[in-house]
């Protein structure tokens, strides 16, 4: 692959978009970054990733844009904005996409591709990307990478009609990330992969906001540990009701990984402190409603969602 000829656009250069965009650009891909509030700083000072895994990384100059209309047509578009802004991003994606481009939603939660699909032309491929990483924005143009980094992709919809063609495109995407030193796999079932990721996000994202606690205290306290395990079990039950049997011991595996992780504030906590909308629809409402439709009630998750709804509205 001639990396310099693969044009990648980052739609929303925050923690996720900044980290993966810098890694891809440093690997030699032609990466273009769409920014909003941090545009002038990044144009002038570049992007910095302070990584516990890869060291201190700098990208300067950055091909930065404040307007999607100024971006060149991109073969791959990686969407790194929060799920709460997807509808507003659709026109920007359409402007920056080359014909037949692959659009990858690097977001947590369920139902995000379904929400965006009707707003995109049928000629665009739509994929989901699940990021197993701990990153956050420290300052304009500065991303802190604390741990992990893998990114798995699955095909959602678009011109690829057969399972083989869909998997091939997801595989191409995973290949880009692997060429940038990022562990990446093509997932045959995006919906299942999204449920799997929720096993972590449902307990930790919500409880960090509700209890104002990061992962270390949440993992130390007897009651929060029990609550995390009960919430994880509910997500596994919801996934099963919707036809997705998660790997045996998956929740226990995530629980054990979190014990070893450096202390971490999930992205929802940063949204809360910055007074941004919380990703409640994608992380709680959509999975709860799918489970309910399948005849499965998840009472603890429902209660957590209601409490977070109160916080979000106030
Ligand atoms: N952070 C993490 O460790 C992980 C996050 N995720 C998921 O990844 C997704 C992204 O999260 P994260 O990177 O933390 O979020 P951030 O808030 O750090 O980044 C979002 C970025 O999108 C930009 N943006 C939003 N709307 C627009 C727009 N209209 N035009 C241009 N830029 C725009 C924001 O700009 P502005 O500064 O102007 O708001 C911001 O830079 C979420 O779904 C999250 O759940 C998944 C795994 C781990
Ligand atoms: C599980 C974790 C920490 C990394 O995969 C994450 O998904 C998040 O912060 O949203």
């Amino acid at each position: 692959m001639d990396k310099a000829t693969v044009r990648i656009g980052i739609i929303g250069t925050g923690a996720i978009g900044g980290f993966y965009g810098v890694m891809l650009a440093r690997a030699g891909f032609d990466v273009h970054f769409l920014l909003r509030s941090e545009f002038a700083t990044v144009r002038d000072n570049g992007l910095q990733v302070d990584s516990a895994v890869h060291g201190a990384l700098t990208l300067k100059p950055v091909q930065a844009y404040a307007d999607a209309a100024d971006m060149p047509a991109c073969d791959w578009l990686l969407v790194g904005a929060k799920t709460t802004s997807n509808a507003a991003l659709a026109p920007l994606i359409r402007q920056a996409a080359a014909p037949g481009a692959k659009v990858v939603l690097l977001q947590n939660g369920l139902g995000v591709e379904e929400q965006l699909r009707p707003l995109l032309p049928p000629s665009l491929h739509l994929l989901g990307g699940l990021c197993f990483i701990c990153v956050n924005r420290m300052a304009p143009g500065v991303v802190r990478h604390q741990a992990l980094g893998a990114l798995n992709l699955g095909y959602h919809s678009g011109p690829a009609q057969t399972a083989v063609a869909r998997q091939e495109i997801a595989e191409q995407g995973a290949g880009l990330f692997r060429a940038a030193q990022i562990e990446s796999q093509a997932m045959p079932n995006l919906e299942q992969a999204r449920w799997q990721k929720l096993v972590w996000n449902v307990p930790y994202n919500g409880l960090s906001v509700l209890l104002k606690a990061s992962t270390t205290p949440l993992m130390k306290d007897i009651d929060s540990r029990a609550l995390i395990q009960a919430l994880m079990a509910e997500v596994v039950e919801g996934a099963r009701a919707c036809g997705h049997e998660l790997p045996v011991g998956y929740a226990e595996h995530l629980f054990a990984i979190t014990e070893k992780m450096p202390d971490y504030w999930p992205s929802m906590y940063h949204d809360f402190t910055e007074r941004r909308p919380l990703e409640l629809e994608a992380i709680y409402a959509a999975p709860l409603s799918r489970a309910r439709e399948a005849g499965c009630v998840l009472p603890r998750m429902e209660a957590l969602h209601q409490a977070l709804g109160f916080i979000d509205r106030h």
Side-chain angles (χ1 to χ4, degrees):
M1 168 184 13
D2 180 1
K3 293 185 212 156
T5 64
V6 182
R7 193 176 280 155
I8 301 173
I10 308 291
I11 304 292
T13 308
I16 288 284
F19 173 79
Y20 289 109
V22 166
M23 291 297 284
L24 290 161
R26 286 173 56 91
F29 291 101
D30 180 22
V31 186
H32 300 260
F33 296 82
L34 180 69
L35 293 113
R36 195 170 52 183
S37 62
E38 301 184 356
F39 167 70
T41 311
V42 169
R43 179 199 54 202
D44 298 344
N45 304 336
L47 279 165
Q48 252 175 270
V49 176
D50 180 5
S51 170
V53 179
H54 306 281
L57 310 176
T58 303
L59 183 68
K60 193 177 174 190
V62 170
Q63 305 190 102
Y65 304 83
D67 187 341
D70 297 332
M71 292 176 78
C74 295
D75 311 308
W76 288 86
L77 287 172
L78 308 181
V79 178
K82 289 274 152 73
T83 53
T84 44
S85 46
N86 277 357
L89 293 180
L92 314 184
I93 294 173
R94 290 197 299 264
Q95 279 175 313
K102 289 102 180 170
V103 180
V104 189
L105 304 187
L106 300 183
Q107 299 176 325
N108 282 323
L110 212 59
V112 288
E113 290 84 12
E114 286 81 344
Q115 189 205 358
L116 203 57
R117 182 72 261 183
L119 308 175
L120 298 180
S123 58
L124 296 186
H125 300 273
L126 185 59
L127 293 89
L130 285 313
C131 307
F132 295 85
I133 190 165
C134 299
V135 276
N136 67 281
R137 285 190 274 171
M138 298 286 288
V142 183
V143 174
R144 178 167 67 149
H145 174 213
Q146 281 184 269
L148 310 174
L151 192 164
N152 294 338
L153 288 99
Y155 194 88
H156 178 265
S157 56
Q161 292 303 328
T162 65
V164 172
R166 294 154 68 91
Q167 188 66 4
E168 208 173 279
I169 288 175
E171 196 50 65
Q172 274 175 28
L176 303 182
F177 290 101
R178 285 198 293 264
Q181 289 182 56
I182 292 157
E183 216 182 292
S184 186
Q185 282 179 32
M187 313 288 286
N189 186 337
L190 176 61
E191 184 83 356
Q192 164 140 349
R194 287 203 165 281
W195 271 105
Q196 232 163 278
K197 184 74 168 51
L198 285 169
V199 176
W200 199 93
N201 293 118
V202 164
Y204 293 100
N205 286 34
L207 291 178
S208 73
V209 173
L210 197 62
L211 304 179
K212 317 266 180 302
S214 54
T215 51
T216 301
L218 285 175
M219 295 303 282
K220 269 200 185 134
D221 183 84
I222 184 169
D223 284 320
S224 49
R225 282 175 77 87
L227 189 50
I228 288 163
Q229 286 168 320
L231 283 162
M232 283 183 162
E234 283 196 359
V235 180
V236 172
E237 199 187 322
R240 184 177 298 128
C242 294
H244 306 293
E245 196 60 52
L246 303 193
V248 177
Y250 188 73
E252 293 74 9
H253 164 70
L254 287 188
F255 194 78
I257 286 184
T258 313
E259 302 250 44
K260 293 197 209 99
M261 245 163 59
D263 190 29
Y264 177 62
W265 289 97
S267 48
M268 188 171 281
Y269 184 79
H270 296 287
D271 291 335
F272 167 69
T273 56
E274 300 292 326
R275 305 182 73 84
R276 293 191 290 253
L278 306 181
E279 293 184 292
L280 299 187
E281 174 60 35
I283 296 179
Y284 296 93
L288 277 168
S289 102
R290 300 238 178 133
R292 216 178 298 118
E293 277 163 27
C296 175
V297 179
L298 306 172
R300 287 185 182 83
M301 187 170 158
E302 189 90 52
L304 179 56
H305 179 222
Q306 286 168 321
L308 292 166
F310 177 90
I311 291 172
D312 196 36
R313 284 185 294 276
H314 289 75

